[in-house]
Amino acid sequence: MSLTHSYAAQSATSPLTPWTFERRAVGPNDVSIKIHYCGVCHSDIHTARGEWSGTKYPIVPGHEIVGTVTAVGAAVKNWKVGDTVGVGCIVDSCRECASCKEDQEQFCENGMTGTYNGIERGTGHTTQGGYSQHIVVDENYVLRIPAGMPLDRTAPLLCAGITTYSPLRKYGVKAGMKVAIVGLGGLGHMGVKIAKAMGAHVTVVSHSDKKRDDAKRLGADDFLNTGEAGAFRANAKRFDFILDTVSAEHDYNSYLMMVKRGGTMVVVGIPPASPLNPSMLVMQQRCLAGSLIGGIAETQEMLDFCAEHQVFSDIEVIPASMINEAYERMLKSDVRYRFVIDSATLG
Ligand code: NAP
Ligand code: ZN
Ligand code: ZN
């Protein structure tokens, strides 16, 4: 067992405050990782504030972790002390069900163990995430960070990167396709960069005009402000593929209107509830789908893709003590484009 300093929410209504807790002892198949950076995902806010049911308090959020291996268990095969590694949203799964066998551990039929607010296999303890100094993880759920990647700008790839890469890859986004990314936040800005790296024509769909210049700077070909009257109707049936990353309640029907006949909209944002009219699907044979992060193998594939294409997150590095302020700014869509905690500030 080893102590780690962290920031935790003690209840759904309390701000995050310093908290010290014990990590499990390093087991034979475990690696211990000193955390250098941890990105701040909107799912951290939904969970800390109890917006999705089932948050167990105290909770230490954070599932965009980059660090260095400091200890390995006796049976560890793939890692050694000093390796630069990442941990995303999954720290364990059953390894036996159909989903696990298909490298889709996020859908483990016996329950994927989330990096935080999960149930640790063996102990039954609640898992605690990356707003902390170190973490102990089974070696099979650790990712290799390719050499030369800037660690702070790479941390957000562990959730925002894989969550956008996975559906863009699955639905075959490529040159010649008109793609819209809805919501230019942490996920959205990674979606823009990855879809561009895949060769698509990319339009950012944002709910104000504030990010117009940034969208171009991030590589988007076009920008659409849905705050303008008639914006949805004027762009009806324009896109082959839409990726919706919006974190707040919004009208899916309006966005579906912009999907071409036979095209697809994939939702990755998880607002509490949002309306849907079936005729928006029926009348133009549109597809509406969801997507959840990605498996471990695909997360490694994404990291290698981002290294090859030099795709990294645009970030604002913060001390851990600024986490509550960061949450408030994210709720106002004022993040350019991912907050990343410098873990050295937890000491
Ligand atoms: P974020 O950085 O806060 O970005 C969310 C963006 O949504 C905002 O920047 C804003 O973009 C847009 N938005 C906010 N309010 C809106 C409104 N009322 N109408 C239209 N657009 C609005 O959040 P994130 O970290 O990217 O996460 C986004 C969502 O994905 C969250 O719900 C999160 O829990 C979820 N998520 C899902 C997965 C998964 O596996 N499926 C993984 C990670 C996160 P504009 O200012 O450009 O409009
Ligand atoms: Zn996340
Ligand atoms: Zn499983």
Side-chain angles (χ1 to χ4, degrees), residues 228-251:
E228 276 174 17
F232 291 108
R233 204 157 290 282
N235 290 281
K237 294 191 250 176
R238 178 172 163 190
F239 300 108
D240 297 292
F241 183 83
I242 297 185
L243 184 64
D244 181 335
T245 75
V246 174
S247 53
E249 182 171 343
H250 59 298
D251 179 17

Side-chain angles (χ1 to χ4, degrees), residues 1-300:
M1 306 272 271
S2 48
L3 281 178
T4 190
H5 295 302
S6 73
Y7 262 68
Q10 300 290 338
S11 79
T13 51
S14 55
L16 277 72
T17 50
W19 184 56
T20 301
F21 68 99
E22 298 261 18
R23 289 287 185 196
R24 71 168 186 250
V26 179
N29 300 301
D30 287 340
V31 300
S32 186
I33 300 163
K34 176 182 161 62
I35 301 173
H36 298 312
Y37 296 102
C38 182
V40 180
C41 177
H42 209 111
S43 300
D44 302 351
I45 305 180
H46 292 306
T47 305
R49 300 199 171 179
E51 291 167 4
W52 299 332
S53 62
T55 303
K56 299 179 279 290
Y57 296 95
I59 182 79
V60 179
H63 56 205
E64 294 183 337
I65 297 166
V66 169
T68 302
V69 173
T70 54
V72 297
V76 166
K77 294 190 187 70
N78 300 317
W79 311 104
K80 60 180 189 320
V81 171
D83 283 348
T84 304
V85 293
V87 178
C89 306
I90 311 171
V91 290
D92 210 348
S93 67
C94 85
R95 309 164 200 214
E96 286 169 355
C97 72
S99 296
C100 283
K101 285 193 169 144
E102 287 169 25
D103 293 329
Q104 302 279 303
E105 300 90 349
Q106 72 274 36
F107 302 115
C108 175
E109 283 136 52
N110 295 303
M112 170 267 273
T113 306
T115 303
Y116 58 81
N117 205 39
I119 301 167
E120 194 168 82
R121 287 180 147 75
T123 67
H125 293 156
T126 302
T127 56
Q128 302 291 5
Y131 300 180
S132 57
Q133 293 172 300
H134 81 285
I135 189 166
V136 177
V137 183
D138 183 288
E139 70 158 331
N140 293 306
Y141 297 81
V142 174
L143 286 310
R144 187 178 49 80
I145 305 296
M149 291 180 95
L151 298 190
D152 49 359
R153 299 185 63 197
T154 295
L157 305 186
L158 276 303
C159 176
I162 183 59
T163 302
T164 49
Y165 177 89
S166 182
L168 291 167
R169 180 59 88 212
K170 180 178 167 75
Y171 291 91
V173 163
K174 57 181 191 300
M177 284 176 76
K178 293 252 193 296
V179 169
I181 305 290
V182 183
L184 196 60
L187 265 56
H189 93 293
M190 288 313 308
V192 170
K193 292 182 183 213
I194 292 170
K196 277 307 294 177
M198 291 174 176
H201 181 281
V202 177
T203 300
V204 165
V205 178
S206 198
H207 77 304
S208 78
D209 222 30
K210 291 181 197 153
K211 299 174 184 168
R212 184 178 287 275
D213 293 343
D214 278 1
K216 288 275 165 68
R217 185 179 55 76
L218 291 165
D221 301 287
D222 205 352
F223 182 88
L224 202 165
N225 170 13
T226 57
E228 276 174 17
F232 291 108
R233 204 157 290 282
N235 290 281
K237 294 191 250 176
R238 178 172 163 190
F239 300 108
D240 297 292
F241 183 83
I242 297 185
L243 184 64
D244 181 335
T245 75
V246 174
S247 53
E249 182 171 343
H250 59 298
D251 179 17
Y252 288 126
N253 305 301
S254 304
Y255 294 88
L256 276 167
M257 191 190 301
M258 300 194 291
V259 178
K260 270 185 192 166
R261 174 179 62 79
T264 299
M265 178 161 112
V266 171
V267 172
V268 288
I270 318 175
S274 293
L276 175 68
N277 177 353
S279 74
M280 292 309 297
L281 304 176
V282 172
M283 298 313 285
Q284 294 292 329
Q285 209 173 45
R286 294 175 174 115
C287 299
L288 177 64
S291 190
L292 178 67
I293 45 174
I296 296 295
E298 194 178 30
T299 304
Q300 189 64 60

